Amino acid sequence: MAINLDAALGIHPHTLDFRVERSKVLAGNLANAETPGYKARDLDFKNVMLQINAGMSPDRNYQASYRVPYQTSADQNTVELGKEQARYSQNAMDYQTSLTFLNMKISGLRTAIEGQ
């Protein structure tokens, strides 16, 4: 009996991939916090989940959108350092959570295959 890995692993590989890509975008924002005119960007997790729930495999071409700041700066930079750091930390924790769930799925599959 063949195992369909996409069905067995669920959404976890997709969420892990998304978290990696989002960390790159957020790191870019942090690196450009002092660059005049830089516009902060972010990826929307909701769009990825809508694609997955619709039965589509999300493409890896995630579309980053510009973020509207709570408070504009004099140099037109929209990166708010404290908020970016919090988003980056939250994304890192979400990555670890997805990785834990994926490891649990793989462990369960290994147990089922080995029959122990």
Side-chain angles (χ1 to χ4, degrees):
M1 179 174 172
I3 296 175
N4 181 349
L5 283 179
D6 286 337
L9 297 178
I11 64 169
H12 304 297
H14 300 297
T15 58
L16 210 56
D17 181 58
F18 172 80
R19 295 293 171 199
V20 168
E21 293 303 315
R22 186 172 185 229
S23 69
K24 292 176 187 177
V25 171
L26 295 176
N29 290 345
L30 289 169
N32 288 292
E34 299 296 323
T35 304
Y38 182 81
K39 306 296 182 208
R41 302 176 317 137
D42 203 352
L43 299 177
D44 188 18
F45 186 65
K46 245 191 266 186
N47 289 337
V48 173
M49 290 307 295
L50 288 173
Q51 288 179 0
I52 292 171
N53 288 336
M56 301 183 313
S57 180
D59 56 357
R60 294 207 55 207
N61 299 325
Y62 302 111
Q63 298 297 318
S65 57
Y66 293 102
R67 187 176 305 119
V68 178
Y70 293 107
Q71 185 174 4
T72 56
S73 65
D75 64 358
Q76 302 303 312
N77 184 312
T78 62
V79 176
E80 297 170 302
L81 189 59
K83 295 202 180 292
E84 285 305 319
Q85 290 171 331
R87 287 182 185 106
Y88 191 86
S89 295
Q90 181 65 48
N91 190 63
M93 287 188 295
D94 292 341
Y95 175 87
Q96 287 298 323
T97 301
S98 292
L99 187 59
T100 299
F101 280 122
L102 187 58
N103 281 333
M104 288 172 23
K105 288 276 193 176
I106 292 171
S107 177
L109 287 172
R110 183 181 306 128
T111 301
I113 290 170
E114 292 173 353
Q116 295 177 354

